[in-house]
Amino acid sequence: MSADQVLERLCGACDATGAACCKSGSIFLTPAEHDAIAHHCADHADPAVAATFGQRVSLHDGFAMLDQGEVCMFPDSRNRCTLHERGLKPRECHCWPLHVC
């Protein structure tokens, strides 16, 4: 199976659940994930993106939690993660749909 086929299968699993994991709760971020996403948000054309990310993150001893609120701030209009294509999708999010494949 090619990488594109795997990605389509994972996206299909996400689509099948209506991207339920992106709708509420908090996402665990490693320090590296937090830093990479924070840099991505800071480089975004809209400064509100960085501000929103900063407001949704709580830092703990060695990790961070991203509060999704009512919905994650990173899905596109098709409920697909915009961080994924940049290699920034958190490990917790990336692995979530594997159990429904």
Side-chain angles (χ1 to χ4, degrees), residues 27-44 46-59 63-68 72-74 83 88 90:
I27 299 298
F28 172 84
L29 301 174
T30 66
E33 290 171 336
H34 170 267
D35 293 348
I37 295 170
H39 287 291
H40 165 71
C41 290
D43 291 342
H44 198 279
D46 181 356
V49 172
T52 300
F53 180 74
Q55 292 167 355
R56 288 187 176 201
V57 170
S58 59
L59 300 176
F63 69 95
M65 295 298 290
L66 173 60
D67 180 359
Q68 296 186 101
C72 180
M73 62 184 283
F74 297 110
L83 296 177
L88 300 174

